[in-house]
Structures are given as structure tokens and as C-alpha cells.
Amino acid sequence: MAFLQGVKRRAQATVLPVLFFALCGYFAYHAMHGTRGLLARDARIAEISAARVVLAEAEAERDMMERKVAGLRSDRMDRDVLEERARALLNVVAPGEIIIPYAPADRLF
């Protein structure tokens, strides 16, 4: 009987710490591997930096287009840009210009 009481006392003394460590282990695992854990955070940071690169490329392309369009605005029209676009669209050349042919797949515009 004394042996069983000793086993019961030891079991009661170890159950609470074991449950505490199991709970701590559960939270520690999910702090690393969960959907909002440290590994997921690193993946999100990598995705954000890749998206920033794409954003910078898109902004550069937009700025280039805005510069082209700015030359065609009616309040400050750049004659060179207007002439270049008109010649490209109408397929017209001035006398004395040299024409360099290119393949249809290599269109400039």
C-alpha cells in the first residue's frame, strides 16, 4: 500500500510540470513553424522585397511613359517628339534619311 501511495504522489508531482512543458513546447513550435511564426515572417519579408523590386520596375516604366507623353501635351508640345511619332505611325521618311529595315517580330512600338 505504501508503494502505491508513493507512486501516486510522484505521479501527481510530475503531471503538472509535464503538462506545463508540453504546453510550452506547443507554443514554441507554433512560434517557429505556425502561419504567423518566425519562418513564415521570413517568407513574407522575402515576398515583400520581391514585390518592391517589381514595383520599382513598374514605376520606372510609368515614368518613361509619362516623359514620352509630356512631349505631346498641347501646352508645351515638343516638335521633335511629335515629328518622330507622326513618322512612325504614318511610315513616312524625310529626304536624305537612311532606313534600316527590321523583322516584323522586332517592332519598335
Side-chain angles (χ1 to χ4, degrees), residues 95-107:
E97 285 186 341
I98 299 173
I99 299 177
I100 301 173
Y102 56 90
D106 299 333
R107 293 192 50 87

Side-chain angles (χ1 to χ4, degrees), residues 58-99:
E59 286 177 343
E61 184 179 353
R62 183 197 65 205
D63 292 341
M64 180 190 64
M65 288 180 183
E66 284 179 354
R67 282 193 303 273
K68 283 184 177 180
V69 170
L72 298 174
R73 298 237 164 112
S74 63
D75 58 340
R76 56 181 195 281
M77 187 175 295
D78 186 10
R79 291 184 184 264
D80 291 334
V81 174
L82 179 63
E83 183 180 354
E84 175 188 339
R85 289 301 301 147
R87 287 182 183 203
L89 290 174
L90 298 174
N91 201 17
V92 177
V93 295
E97 285 186 341
I98 299 173
I99 299 177

Side-chain angles (χ1 to χ4, degrees), residues 26-52:
Y26 173 81
F27 284 117
Y29 175 81
H30 285 286
M32 286 296 293
H33 301 285
T35 57
R36 299 192 186 271
L38 295 176
L39 299 178
R41 179 180 173 264
D42 292 340
R44 279 193 307 272
I45 288 173
E47 288 177 8
I48 289 171
S49 57
R52 285 186 178 154

Side-chain angles (χ1 to χ4, degrees), residues 49-60:
S49 57
R52 285 186 178 154
V53 168
V54 171
L55 175 65
E57 291 172 358
E59 286 177 343

